[in-house]
Structure formats: structure tokens, C-alpha cells
Amino acid sequence: MEKFTAHTGTGVPLRRSDVDTDQIIPAVYLKRVTRTGFADGLFSAWRDDPDFVLNKPEYAGGTVLVAGPNFGTGSSREHAVWALQDHGFAAVIAPRFGDIFRGNALKGGLLPVQLPQDAVDTLWQAVEADPGTEITVDLAARQVRAAGHAWDFTIDDFTRWRLMEGLDDIGLTLRHEADITAYEAGRASFRPRIATPA
Amino acid sequence: MGRTLAEKIWDAHVVRSAEGEPDLLYIDLHLVHEVTSPQAFDGLRMAGRGVRRPDLTLATEDHNTPTDNLITIADPVSRTQVETLRRNAEEFGVRLHSLGDAQQGIVHVIGPQLGATQPGMTIVCGDSHTSTHGAFGSIAFGIGTSEVEHVLATQTLPQATPKTMAVNVTGELRPGVTAKDLILALIAQVGTGGGQGHIVEYRGEAIRNLSMEARMTICNMSIEWGAKAGLVAPDETTFAYLKGREYAPAGADWDAALEYWRGLVTDDDATFDTEVTIDAGTIEPFVTWGTNPGQGAPLSASVPDPASFEDASERSAAERALAYMDLTAGTPLRDIAVDVVFLGSCTNGRLEDLRAAASVLNGRKVADGVRMLVVPGSAKVREAAEAEGLHEVFTAAGAEWRFAGCSMCLGMNPDVLTPGQRSASTSNRNFEGRQGRGGRTHLVSPQVAAATAVAGHLAAPADL
Ligand code: SF4
């Protein structure tokens, strides 16, 4: 995973709430067995509408998605994160996220930034007034800056450190393998064990 | 101070905790299906890692499988995904219930059915409706593919401690009102984001009186109001359901388990971070009119006027939903005609659901022009339903009796709505295009689904 310290790019204003992962990428695109190539499925049902924000040339190069509350609710599909990243997004700003989406995004290095609705409103207005408005998502400083404003956001120290170092969770966990083995030794015998194939 | 049930289970699974880091949680059962696992197994291969505990891992094929036959997956991309799971299961030594296997079915139906879902466990799956398993008093939640790989490799997950919430369901459900109506009414009350960051415990007399299958319906939809997980404290109903199942403990282990399970309750002096109360006695059959599960109303109501929502984002969401659903404010919900009725899914595809629908359909006919699909949640559910003759009731009424799988719940297999078609569906998501591009979904209980099939428009059994 690439290290993430700060990202500066232009914004894409997605003025919708409750954008669920079925909208971000419909189920028909989930049949692939690879991790890449999901950009064509991104918001595919909405892409037919010429007025949809991602179809507007002025937002074509946007890398920071600014969305309404409850972004990424619904299905656990990590493909939603991969599709947003394949399209070029580095961060999503919204007043509230679906938990699983937020977790998936943090795993894959797509930064989900929770800001209050009034900050999102200000960003929408700024980006719509001037699509060239630069938005800086500064993970190191835990701050979003754009159009002369600055908003602080929260993220726990551990996740921030992991993203800034670009570390993979499995490797981190395996440093504690002895703890896992010790825990397993104490598990009750009545816990179910699946009959593995011979 | 006392602890909540969720806190007790959590504490019992912490492998390692360190200041400023998420807890490392041990996972007792990892359920796997074909859609969210291929990239995870690939990751293991690339890193030269194996599956740490195949004996705590169980796989099934459900999302892509056909429901009209048990052999051929027509779509080559779907077939590749299923074949990829078969290869991965073989290579990594994981038990897989394939299409045609007697135990195949929707991942959240087969776990409980096999007795692999038990009280006090941590259960994960790359699927958001893993919350279903909380009905047994376990912490069960959906994860993404990176986390699937993490669990395969380490049998653990780093997890930040969630907050706890109680949903107190007071009073009694009225006759003809089901667990599905209760959860839909709750989501309409608290909103789709109401549970965010919380493990929710459903409590109260109305919950205690529910069967295991009805509790699963409730817990299944926890994710639809944003909760990380939902659970119900285990009790005699839980133990009776589990006894004798394939993976349930036996002999001395059963006694030891029972003693442990009986302690899995929230202490009287424990406190929740949040509490919500809902009166079961006021709930009527409930249906959705919009494009998220919180956009619902009693069947006796009308399509709401978006202007009646005070919150600006709710108002614009309602406007968009009515446009997508092709509905006009003020239309009585009972006047909404449907093209398709779907009975199935991990929300309402179990035996009791099929029985409830069959009792409504018995001696009646599906209305002209309406297509009804009945898709059992698992091969075993199908077998049990046939043993009772339920399939004859469905086919005599003119419904299609299918093989088990996710089917039209999400339309990854050929069971889809065509653009503009409207369904009454017992599944859990009415998102735009969920059941097929341009399809319009109304979420309903099995009873309402059956009555709707007969009437041709949204209806309750009492209307027939
Ligand atoms: S039945 Fe529907 S909700 Fe349940 S696992 Fe299958 S696709 Fe997901």
C-alpha cells in the first residue's frame, strides 16, 4: 500500500445522501476475480444521465469526492473502494459513512474524511462555483483545507500511523502470532470446528 | 460495574490490546462465499500464506448460483467466480458446500442450520448481512475482502471497540404482524444511519417471544440502519434450536457450553451508550415506498409528500426516491400494483417464512400478470418445505418453486427485474437497481408478499 500523508486535488460534488455501495458499483460488476478494472462500473446506473456530476468535463480530473451523509452504506463489497480508486479518487469527504465502507476504504488507502454537513455544504458551493478549487486532505495535520477554509477531522492515531507508513495489516498482526497461539490454547473445547475436507 | 452482553463477548475474544491500538479480536467462525473471497485467496497466494484455521472456516456458493437448475451456471463470468472458489477451497483445505450439495444455501441460512452459529461467538463473513448470526447471542459482522484475507491468514481482526446500544421492544406484536414489520418500522423510526458504530442488543418481551428464525430476520437487518452488529441474548429458545445440530456440542461439551451460554446476558447494572424504545403493540404490517430501507410506512398509509420532511437531505432523498420509484405523493400504498413477488433471501427465506406465505396462498391463485418466485434459503429448507408439501401449495397457486440461493435479492444470477418492473420482495434492500437495473423494490414480510401476489397490489392477508 502506498503511503498517504497529504493529498491535494480538485473536488467532485456529489449532492446525494445515502449513496449505498449498490450505487457505487452494482452487483453485476462484482463477478470479477481481480482487484482492478472496476472503474467502468463506478456509479454505472447514473452514468447514463449526461447531467450526472462525473459526466461533466469540468469534474473529470477530480480526486476528492464530496458526498452527502451516509455515504457507502449497504453491502460489504470492497469493490466499491477499488472502483473509486480506479477512477482516481484519493479521498471521500462526507458527513457520515457506512461503517464497513469506511473500514474497507482505510484498508485500501482511500481516505474517508468525516466533516460536518456545513463544511460539506461550503465545499459543494466552492467546487460548483469554481471546479478548479483545490482541496487539500492533510492526514498528517488531520485537516481539510480549501477556498480559504480549514476544517479539522478526527482519525485514530494507529490508523493514521498505518496509512502514513503504508503498512499492511496482516504483516502487523503476524508480529503478534505468539499471542494468537496462546489465545488458541485457552479456547473452550465446545467451540464448533468445521469438518475440513479429507 | 456490570457489562453488557456485547462487552462480555468482546472481552472474551481479545487476543491482544495495547494503548492507542485497536483490539486484536479472535474470530471463532469465518464464513466465505464466492463474491468477496477471490482477491483474498489471491492475496494469500501472493504472500505465500495459508489459511490458519480451515477448521473455523466454512464456504458456500450462493450469490451467483442459478435457481432453475443445480448444474449449469450460464453466465461465464459468474461461473468463473464460482469455479475460482472451488479451486481455492480445494487448495487451502476449506469445507465448501457447492451447488447441488445437500447443505448448500445462502451463507447466513446454512451457518445456523448446521449449528455452526452458536452463542458467545465472534463470526465474520465478507457480507454485510452477517449480522443475522447475532440472533444466537454472538457478535457477528460483515467485513471487506482485505479483512477476509486477514482472517484467513491470522484468524483475528484488529477492531476498534464499538459503542453499545439497546433497542427495547416493549409490548406484544399484534396478530398478523411479523418480525419483518417490526424491523422495518424500527428503521423508519431511527433512520438508516441510526446505529452507526454500535453493537445493538434487541431486548424486551416481544423479542423473547420470537422464534429463532424471526430473531434472525431482525438481526439480519441491523446493518440496514447502520449498526455494526445486532444481537439477542441466548435463552431456552436458542438452546432448543441448537440441540442436536451437526456442529452443536454434544455430551459433556453440551453441558459445559450450556453453562457458559446461560451467563451470556447483559448484567442488570450494565449501561448502554444509547437506548432506543419501540412499542411493538403499535406496529402494523409495514412496507417501503422509497429506495432505502428507512423509507417505509404502515401498509395502511399513503406515499408521503417529500415536502413533509423537515430535514433537507431527507427531503431531497424522498424526492429522488419517488421519481425513481415512479410514485406520486398521496397514493395509498395499497393501490401500488406489482409485477413480481420475490419470496426468499437471508432475511425471509427460511422454513417459517415459506410456511407463512403458503398459509396465505393455500387455495388461492397468484393474480394474472404477476410473477411470483419462491426461492428457499438453502437446499435443506427446500427439502423440509417439500416434506410438508409447501411446494405443492406454491405451484398450485401459480408461483415458481426454485432451488436455493440469493437469487433476486441482488440479481447476480439470471433472476432479475427488468427496467421499470416493480416488485414486492421479502429481502432486505430496496436500493436503486438492487434487483436489476431500473427495477423498483418494495420490502415486505412473507405474509404481505403472498397477499400481494394474490391481490396484484400491495396487500395484507386480511385484505383478501
Ligand atoms: S440473500 Fe441477499 S442479502 Fe442475503 S447474502 Fe444473499 S445477496 Fe446478501
Side-chain angles (χ1 to χ4, degrees):
Chain A
M1 196 164 76
E2 276 178 48
K3 296 183 183 185
F4 192 123
T5 12
H7 170 83
T8 299
T10 54
V12 175
L14 183 64
R15 282 188 181 263
R16 298 191 190 223
S17 61
D18 291 283
V19 175
D20 56 72
T21 51
D22 276 78
Q23 303 321 314
I24 301 173
I25 185 151
V28 289
Y29 292 94
L30 310 188
K31 299 180 184 182
R32 299 184 188 144
V33 295
T34 56
R35 238 177 222 268
T36 53
F38 290 96
D40 58 336
L42 182 67
F43 298 121
S44 79
W46 295 339
R47 294 301 282 267
D48 290 347
D49 172 5
D51 288 333
F52 179 59
V53 65
L54 278 191
N55 289 333
K56 296 192 176 164
E58 61 268 35
Y59 298 118
T63 55
V64 179
L65 186 64
V66 186
N70 299 324
F71 186 84
T73 52
S75 143
S76 68
R77 58 190 70 166
E78 197 159 323
H79 315 69
V81 172
W82 302 335
L84 287 162
Q85 287 180 315
D86 279 353
H87 183 83
F89 287 113
V92 183
I93 297 173
R96 192 160 59 191
F97 289 93
D99 276 340
I100 305 179
F101 174 84
R102 187 171 180 281
N104 287 341
L106 289 168
K107 296 276 181 250
L110 172 74
L111 193 66
V113 178
Q114 190 162 325
L115 289 184
Q117 183 69 52
D118 56 357
V120 167
D121 287 335
T122 306
L123 283 169
W124 278 340
Q125 283 153 16
V127 171
E128 284 165 356
D130 175 10
T133 305
E134 287 200 334
I135 302 175
T136 296
V137 181
D138 187 339
L139 177 60
R142 296 182 167 96
Q143 196 178 59
V144 173
R145 292 182 296 275
H149 298 267
W151 298 277
D152 293 331
F153 64 88
T154 53
I155 183 167
D156 68 88
D157 292 341
F158 179 78
T159 307
R160 172 172 164 273
W161 166 77
R162 188 174 58 69
L163 290 171
M164 289 180 64
E165 296 294 321
L167 291 172
D168 134 64
D169 260 345
I170 298 180
L172 285 174
T173 295
L174 287 175
R175 296 196 308 202
H176 307 296
E177 198 175 355
D179 293 328
I180 303 174
T181 307
Y183 180 90
E184 284 175 331
R187 288 180 80 235
S189 64
F190 58 74
R191 298 283 191 200
R193 295 180 62 169
I194 306 303
T196 50
Chain B
M1 210 189 58
R3 290 181 298 166
T4 66
L5 168 58
E7 287 162 341
K8 288 183 186 179
I9 301 172
W10 189 278
D11 293 350
H13 289 84
V14 174
V15 169
R16 178 180 179 274
S17 76
E19 184 64 29
E21 291 183 34
D23 287 346
L24 189 64
L25 218 56
Y26 198 80
I27 302 302
D28 290 319
L29 179 65
H30 184 195
L31 300 162
V32 172
H33 65 82
E34 75 274 17
V35 182
T36 51
S37 66
Q39 296 87 353
F41 283 112
D42 246 4
L44 290 185
R45 250 189 306 269
M46 268 153 37
R49 292 172 177 142
V51 174
R52 182 180 178 91
R53 294 295 300 263
D55 61 333
L56 305 183
T57 311
L58 177 63
T60 185
E61 300 167 1
D62 52 6
H63 285 65
N64 282 282
T65 49
T67 58
D68 58 353
N69 80 90
L70 290 177
I71 298 152
T72 312
I73 302 176
D75 174 7
V77 195
S78 287
R79 191 166 62 233
T80 301
Q81 197 164 64
V82 169
E83 284 168 353
T84 303
L85 177 60
R86 289 177 189 172
R87 270 201 310 279
N88 286 330
E90 196 180 331
E91 178 180 340
F92 290 93
V94 169
R95 155 100 20 199
L96 168 64
H97 293 299
S98 282
L99 184 64
D101 179 298
Q103 291 288 2
Q104 179 263 342
I106 305 173
V107 63
H108 311 307
V109 176
I110 70 165
Q113 176 181 288
L114 285 163
T117 299
Q118 295 173 17
M121 291 172 65
T122 47
I123 301 175
V124 297
C125 173
D127 191 285
S128 55
H129 294 100
T130 309
S131 57
T132 313
H133 306 263
F136 291 78
S138 53
I139 293 182
F141 55 92
I143 57 178
T145 298
S146 295
E147 292 170 309
V148 170
E149 183 181 338
H150 194 284
V151 178
L152 289 171
T154 71
Q155 205 57 35
T156 64
L157 265 185
Q159 287 286 304
T161 329
K163 292 187 281 242
T164 59
M165 186 190 297
V167 171
N168 301 305
V169 186
T170 58
E172 271 302 301
L173 284 177
R174 293 193 296 214
V177 181
T178 69
K180 182 66 164 287
D181 303 308
L182 169 59
I183 190 69
L184 286 174
L186 176 73
I187 299 171
Q189 178 181 318
V190 295
T192 49
Q196 196 206 24
H198 290 80
I199 298 184
V200 178
E201 182 179 340
Y202 299 98
R203 298 155 63 82
E205 263 318 285
I207 298 291
R208 294 261 72 87
N209 289 337
L210 293 177
S211 69
M212 286 316 296
E213 298 199 351
R215 292 178 193 182
M216 285 188 245
T217 301
I218 304 267
C219 288
N220 175 274
M221 292 194 72
S222 303
I223 185 69
E224 304 309 332
W225 56 290
K228 174 158 187 86
L231 45 74
V232 174
D235 58 14
E236 296 308 317
T237 306
T238 320
F239 311 145
Y241 177 97
L242 281 170
K243 189 149 185 137
R245 289 185 188 261
E246 181 172 344
Y247 290 116
D253 270 347
W254 173 262
D255 298 334
L258 209 54
E259 193 187 327
Y260 177 67
W261 293 346
R262 288 195 203 281
L264 294 173
V265 290
T266 292
D267 295 329
D268 289 339
D269 57 343
T271 52
F272 293 90
D273 295 309
T274 316
E275 297 210 30
V276 174
T277 299
I278 184 165
D279 180 359
T282 62
I283 296 170
E284 299 172 43
F286 216 85
V287 302
T288 62
W289 49 265
T291 53
N292 73 56
Q295 292 175 322
L299 178 60
S300 57
S302 298
V303 175
D305 184 348
S308 67
F309 292 94
E310 273 170 33
D311 180 88
S313 82
E314 275 183 45
R315 189 160 56 239
S316 68
E319 281 166 4
R320 243 191 353 264
L322 293 199
Y324 181 85
M325 295 294 288
D326 190 27
L327 292 173
T328 314
T331 308
L333 293 170
R334 278 195 168 87
D335 288 357
I336 298 173
V338 306
D339 307 295
V340 175
V341 173
F342 172 65
L343 175 62
S345 87
C346 59
T347 314
N348 282 125
R350 288 171 291 265
L351 188 59
E352 283 177 15
D353 303 311
L354 301 191
R355 281 182 188 149
S359 75
V360 177
L361 285 174
N362 199 2
R364 296 191 168 109
K365 288 271 180 223
V366 173
D368 284 345
V370 174
R371 176 186 186 203
M372 182 175 185
L373 263 88
V374 184
V375 183
S378 70
K380 281 284 171 198
V381 168
R382 183 179 149 100
E383 189 185 304
E386 291 192 346
E388 294 180 15
L390 302 184
H391 62 310
E392 280 158 10
V393 176
F394 292 126
T395 49
E400 299 172 34
W401 176 239
R402 296 300 195 95
F403 292 103
C406 294
S407 179
M408 200 181 272
C409 175
L410 92 166
M412 274 187 92
N413 78 351
D415 306 338
V416 289
L417 295 180
T418 56
Q421 269 192 330
R422 186 184 298 282
S423 81
S425 175
T426 65
S427 54
N428 45 40
R429 288 194 172 138
N430 50 345
F431 297 158
E432 289 181 22
R434 168 83 176 178
Q435 298 191 290
R437 194 162 179 154
R440 301 175 175 128
T441 303
H442 296 272
L443 300 178
V444 299
S445 71
Q447 283 85 336
V448 169
T452 298
V454 172
H457 54 81
L458 293 178
D463 302 333
L464 300 178

CSV table of all heavy atoms in Angstrom, one decimal, chain B residues 63 106 108 127 129 345-346 406 409-410 428 434, ligand 1:
chain,number,residue,atom,x,y,z
B,63,HIS,N,-24.4,-16.5,-4.1
B,63,HIS,CA,-24.8,-15.3,-4.8
B,63,HIS,C,-25.0,-15.4,-6.3
B,63,HIS,O,-25.9,-14.9,-6.9
B,63,HIS,CB,-23.7,-14.2,-4.6
B,63,HIS,CG,-23.8,-13.5,-3.2
B,63,HIS,ND1,-23.5,-14.3,-2.1
B,63,HIS,CD2,-24.1,-12.3,-2.8
B,63,HIS,CE1,-23.6,-13.5,-1.0
B,63,HIS,NE2,-24.0,-12.3,-1.4
B,106,ILE,N,-27.8,-20.1,1.1
B,106,ILE,CA,-27.3,-18.8,1.5
B,106,ILE,C,-26.4,-18.9,2.8
B,106,ILE,O,-26.8,-19.5,3.7
B,106,ILE,CB,-28.4,-17.8,1.7
B,106,ILE,CG1,-29.3,-17.7,0.5
B,106,ILE,CG2,-27.9,-16.4,2.0
B,106,ILE,CD1,-30.6,-16.9,0.7
B,108,HIS,N,-25.9,-17.2,5.3
B,108,HIS,CA,-26.5,-16.8,6.6
B,108,HIS,C,-27.6,-17.8,7.0
B,108,HIS,O,-28.1,-17.7,8.1
B,108,HIS,CB,-26.9,-15.4,6.6
B,108,HIS,CG,-25.8,-14.5,6.2
B,108,HIS,ND1,-24.6,-14.5,6.7
B,108,HIS,CD2,-25.8,-13.5,5.2
B,108,HIS,CE1,-23.8,-13.6,6.0
B,108,HIS,NE2,-24.5,-13.0,5.1
B,127,ASP,N,-19.7,-10.2,3.9
B,127,ASP,CA,-21.1,-10.0,3.6
B,127,ASP,C,-21.7,-9.2,4.7
B,127,ASP,O,-21.7,-9.6,5.8
B,127,ASP,CB,-21.8,-11.3,3.3
B,127,ASP,CG,-23.1,-11.1,2.7
B,127,ASP,OD1,-24.0,-10.7,3.4
B,127,ASP,OD2,-23.2,-11.3,1.5
B,129,HIS,N,-24.7,-8.8,5.7
B,129,HIS,CA,-25.8,-9.4,6.5
B,129,HIS,C,-25.4,-10.5,7.4
B,129,HIS,O,-26.2,-11.3,8.0
B,129,HIS,CB,-26.9,-9.9,5.5
B,129,HIS,CG,-27.6,-8.7,4.9
B,129,HIS,ND1,-27.3,-8.3,3.6
B,129,HIS,CD2,-28.4,-7.8,5.4
B,129,HIS,CE1,-27.9,-7.2,3.3
B,129,HIS,NE2,-28.6,-6.8,4.4
B,345,SER,N,-34.4,-15.0,0.3
B,345,SER,CA,-33.3,-14.2,0.9
B,345,SER,C,-32.9,-14.7,2.3
B,345,SER,O,-33.7,-15.4,2.9
B,345,SER,CB,-33.5,-12.7,0.9
B,345,SER,OG,-34.2,-12.3,2.0
B,346,CYS,N,-31.8,-14.1,2.8
B,346,CYS,CA,-31.4,-14.5,4.1
B,346,CYS,C,-32.2,-13.7,5.2
B,346,CYS,O,-32.1,-14.0,6.4
B,346,CYS,CB,-29.9,-14.2,4.3
B,346,CYS,SG,-29.5,-12.4,4.0
B,406,CYS,N,-29.2,-16.8,-3.4
B,406,CYS,CA,-29.6,-15.4,-3.1
B,406,CYS,C,-30.6,-14.8,-4.2
B,406,CYS,O,-31.4,-14.0,-3.8
B,406,CYS,CB,-28.3,-14.5,-3.2
B,406,CYS,SG,-27.2,-14.9,-1.9
B,409,CYS,N,-32.6,-11.4,-4.6
B,409,CYS,CA,-32.3,-10.4,-3.6
B,409,CYS,C,-31.3,-9.4,-4.1
B,409,CYS,O,-31.4,-8.2,-3.8
B,409,CYS,CB,-31.7,-11.1,-2.4
B,409,CYS,SG,-31.1,-10.0,-1.1
B,410,LEU,N,-30.4,-9.8,-5.0
B,410,LEU,CA,-29.4,-8.9,-5.5
B,410,LEU,C,-29.2,-9.1,-7.0
B,410,LEU,O,-28.5,-8.3,-7.6
B,410,LEU,CB,-28.1,-8.9,-4.8
B,410,LEU,CG,-26.9,-9.8,-5.3
B,410,LEU,CD1,-25.6,-9.4,-4.6
B,410,LEU,CD2,-27.3,-11.2,-5.1
B,428,ASN,N,-33.9,-7.6,1.9
B,428,ASN,CA,-33.6,-6.5,2.8
B,428,ASN,C,-33.2,-5.2,2.2
B,428,ASN,O,-32.9,-4.2,3.0
B,428,ASN,CB,-32.5,-7.0,3.8
B,428,ASN,CG,-31.4,-7.7,3.0
B,428,ASN,OD1,-31.0,-7.3,1.9
B,428,ASN,ND2,-30.9,-8.8,3.5
B,434,ARG,N,-31.1,-2.6,-7.2
B,434,ARG,CA,-30.7,-3.8,-6.5
B,434,ARG,C,-31.1,-5.1,-7.1
B,434,ARG,O,-30.4,-6.1,-7.1
B,434,ARG,CB,-31.2,-3.7,-5.0
B,434,ARG,CG,-31.0,-4.9,-4.2
B,434,ARG,CD,-29.6,-5.0,-3.6
B,434,ARG,NE,-29.5,-6.1,-2.7
B,434,ARG,CZ,-28.4,-6.5,-2.1
B,434,ARG,NH1,-27.3,-5.8,-2.3
B,434,ARG,NH2,-28.3,-7.5,-1.3
C,1,SF4,S1,-29.8,-13.2,0.3
C,1,SF4,FE1,-29.3,-11.2,-0.3
C,1,SF4,S2,-28.7,-10.1,1.5
C,1,SF4,FE2,-28.6,-12.3,1.9
C,1,SF4,S3,-26.5,-12.9,1.5
C,1,SF4,FE3,-27.6,-13.2,-0.4
C,1,SF4,S4,-27.4,-11.3,-1.5
C,1,SF4,FE4,-26.8,-10.9,0.5
